[in-house]
Amino acid sequence: MHTMKGLMMKAVLLLSIMSFYSFCSGASNSSNKIGVNYGRLGNNLPSPFESIQLLLSMKAGHVKLYDADPEVLKLLSDTDLHVTIMVTNQEISMIASNESHADAWIDDNVLAHYPSTKIRFILVGNEVFSYNDRQLWLDLVPAMRRIKRSLNKHQIHNIKVGTPLAMDALESTFPPSSARFRSSIPAEVIVPLMRFLNSTKSFFFVDVYTYFPWSVNPTNTSLDYALMKSGINETYKDPVSGLTYTNLLDQMLDSVHFAMQKLGFNNVRVAIAETGWPHDGDFDEPGANAYNAATYVSNLVAKVTSDPPIGTPAKPGIEIPTFVFSLYDENQKPGPGTERHWGLLSNTGSPIYEVDLTGTSHENNTKLSEPSNNGPYNGKIWCVVASTASPDDLGPALEFACRQGNGTCDQLAPGKECYEPISIVSHASYAFSSFWAQFRSAGASCYFGGLAVQTITDPGHGSCEFPSVLL
């Protein structure tokens, strides 16, 4: 059966090469079209068929999946969308251990769909260096090599293999010229990765969000600089390289360029696997609004679809393949409120804000009112049960919050100030607020599996005072 597939592939190889160039070749009309990340961590999202129709109507050039779902890949066949698929983190070590596993993965996830589905990238893993799993790190490049060899066996040379990394792969990013990879990432991992990307002419894929460094300290960097607004007076000159920056995205991208350069790799191109701006979030997440999201994405599209390419100060004139995050809001993503509000579309398929992915229009946020949350929130915030939460689901979350110690739920004991009213909703709200107030600085979020939300309305009553976070 594998032999038959191989013969079929060889028979159509010339046609596929002539017809279906990836954007890494720069030969396709869609080479500089924006891509969109199609994540599916939601229980209320449109079907894959509807989603692909929406991507086509939005004139996206590329779509990036977080797996290699056969239904989605089949639906993408005979469309003009160029497709990026992913080897999940859980599959990496198995593929690294044996070439037959890589061959089987290519058979099932590439040959079963290619070339009618225009697969252009295979990304091995997702933000692997963000997890403290040394074995996974060591298995990453061997898995990438095996995937590449399996493609070569079938004479498939226009599918590039890469891996997307988060910006936390770098331990220093400012100024960009000082950037270097984290010392905790062993040389026997990062150097072979760079050699692989260089020898296969693939890209260093990076997930880069200007929102995060800006929102951590919004008084340090101007919002306009983070949003890539043109015509602003703010610039930054790198004291070592002498390069001048007019936006935060270029600074972050060039920090990757300089980090690679320090390892002796000056010719590996950068691609943006994820970027975007949240259109909503929690009270302690400034700047998360639709106006800013529309501004950022519009400016991003204008930059990366420019003809000729703009590039960055360190790499001018170089095209940067880019995927916006994300197609939808994904309501099952854990963490802070922004995690569930990166979508271009709502779960009904309607635009959350207007944006032209072709880069021909820049008037995308003119219908939106000016935001009021661009500065840090000052005041108290509580964490309470969400109005959408079912009381039947609160028991385990309440138990989790209370068993963490530090007196989290002492005031809920009989005779204490917050014992009454005796209801699971009231007790859970107190426990959530108490837990979050104690452990927020350690990374805890007001989420509890979707059962909790932030509020600036004091939920206390009588002599019962709910713990709060004061910003």
Side-chain angles (χ1 to χ4, degrees):
M1 188 172 180
H2 296 167
T3 302
M4 180 64 71
K5 284 182 178 177
L7 290 172
M8 291 172 64
M9 287 303 306
K10 289 176 183 178
V12 298
L13 178 62
L14 182 59
L15 176 63
S16 70
I17 292 175
M18 293 173 62
S19 303
F20 306 141
Y21 285 100
S22 69
F23 55 19
C24 63
S25 70
S28 168
N29 288 334
S30 63
S31 66
N32 66 342
K33 284 188 177 179
I34 203 85
V36 177
N37 284 277
Y38 176 23
R40 298 191 293 162
L41 289 177
N43 59 10
N44 59 355
L45 301 180
S47 70
F49 174 80
E50 294 172 291
S51 300
I52 291 164
Q53 296 308 305
L54 287 166
L55 282 165
L56 292 169
S57 69
M58 296 162 69
K59 295 183 172 58
H62 309 266
V63 59
K64 175 167 156 274
L65 312 178
Y66 288 86
D67 52 22
D69 184 270
E71 178 190 5
V72 178
L73 289 174
K74 183 170 178 59
L75 289 168
L76 283 164
S77 65
D78 298 320
T79 71
D80 287 332
L81 283 164
H82 290 181
V83 181
T84 296
I85 59 177
M86 187 172 286
V87 176
T88 64
N89 288 358
Q90 293 73 24
E91 296 171 301
I92 289 175
S93 293
M94 181 180 67
I95 290 172
S97 69
N98 193 305
E99 192 137 337
S100 64
H101 292 307
D103 292 340
W105 196 94
I106 292 297
D107 284 349
D108 293 342
N109 300 298
V110 177
L111 299 184
H113 307 284
Y114 179 93
S116 59
T117 298
K118 299 177 179 62
I119 299 170
R120 289 297 169 263
F121 285 105
I122 297 174
L123 299 183
V124 180
N126 192 37
E127 299 187 344
V128 167
F129 296 156
S130 299
Y131 300 92
N132 188 24
D133 187 337
R134 186 180 176 88
Q135 189 58 53
L136 186 64
W137 297 1
L138 294 170
D139 288 338
L140 175 61
V141 177
M144 295 171 72
R145 290 194 189 112
R146 292 196 187 279
I147 289 291
K148 183 62 177 174
R149 279 198 290 266
S150 294
L151 290 171
N152 290 343
K153 288 178 186 177
H154 297 283
Q155 301 299 309
I156 301 175
H157 302 297
N158 66 332
I159 295 179
K160 298 290 186 182
V161 178
T163 185
L165 300 175
M167 287 296 295
D168 65 4
L170 279 62
E171 66 183 6
S172 172
T173 61
F174 184 82
S177 59
S178 74
R180 63 184 67 251
F181 289 103
R182 282 199 335 253
S183 56
S184 61
I185 302 173
E188 61 264 36
V189 172
I190 190 65
V191 173
L193 173 60
M194 297 309 307
R195 284 180 182 148
F196 175 87
L197 298 177
N198 188 53
S199 65
T200 61
K201 294 182 171 55
S202 189
F203 292 81
F204 188 104
F205 281 89
V206 62
D207 296 345
V208 53
Y209 293 93
T210 64
Y211 173 75
F212 292 124
W214 172 81
S215 64
V216 168
N217 193 345
T219 59
N220 232 18
T221 304
S222 85
L223 178 60
D224 287 349
Y225 192 75
L227 293 173
M228 293 190 290
K229 280 192 174 181
S230 61
I232 65 171
N233 294 322
E234 181 178 0
T235 60
Y236 171 75
K237 186 174 182 178
D238 188 307
V240 176
S241 70
L243 296 172
T244 298
Y245 292 88
T246 60
N247 66 78
L248 185 55
L249 180 66
D250 279 349
Q251 271 190 230
M252 296 173 76
L253 292 175
D254 273 354
S255 69
V256 178
H257 287 128
F258 280 108
M260 291 192 292
Q261 191 178 78
K262 286 183 175 65
L263 293 179
F265 297 91
N266 196 37
N267 296 318
V268 176
R269 289 172 57 190
V270 167
I272 300 175
E274 291 181 10
T275 191
W277 194 279
H279 63 82
D280 201 358
D282 293 329
F283 289 103
D284 58 349
E285 296 180 294
N289 55 67
Y291 186 95
N292 291 342
T295 301
Y296 179 81
V297 175
S298 174
N299 292 336
L300 171 77
V301 172
K303 173 182 173 63
V304 301
T305 62
S306 176
D307 188 13
I310 297 173
T312 67
K315 297 287 182 178
I318 302 297
E319 187 179 317
I320 307 171
T322 298
F323 294 88
V324 175
F325 187 84
S326 62
L327 182 59
Y328 298 119
D329 282 353
E330 298 172 75
N331 69 344
Q332 292 182 316
K333 293 195 70 176
T338 51
E339 285 296 305
R340 294 170 291 284
H341 294 97
W342 294 88
L344 299 172
L345 306 178
S346 71
N347 61 357
T348 66
S350 60
I352 292 171
Y353 51 86
E354 297 296 331
V355 63
D356 172 23
L357 294 182
T358 68
T360 58
S361 172
H362 310 304
E363 302 299 323
N364 298 307
N365 59 2
T366 54
K367 297 179 182 178
L368 297 171
S369 58
E370 288 281 353
S372 59
N373 69 333
N374 280 344
Y377 178 79
N378 294 312
K380 290 183 177 181
I381 308 175
W382 294 266
C383 180
V384 298
V385 171
S387 60
T388 54
S390 168
D392 295 338
D393 297 331
L394 293 174
L398 171 60
E399 181 183 353
F400 167 81
C402 289
R403 71 167 179 257
Q404 300 309 308
N406 292 341
T408 304
C409 296
D410 285 0
Q411 295 302 312
L412 296 177
K416 293 291 186 176
E417 285 83 351
C418 299
Y419 177 63
E420 293 183 348
I422 308 172
S423 79
I424 193 166
V425 173
S426 178
H427 281 203
S429 285
Y430 180 90
F432 291 170
S433 218
S434 181
F435 174 88
W436 185 56
Q438 286 193 57
F439 298 105
R440 176 179 176 270
S441 60
S445 62
C446 177
Y447 181 62
F448 291 93
L451 299 174
V453 294
Q454 290 185 10
T455 181
I456 55 175
T457 301
D458 189 347
H461 48 85
S463 58
C464 174
E465 183 176 339
F466 278 48
S468 65
V469 169
L470 177 62
L471 298 180

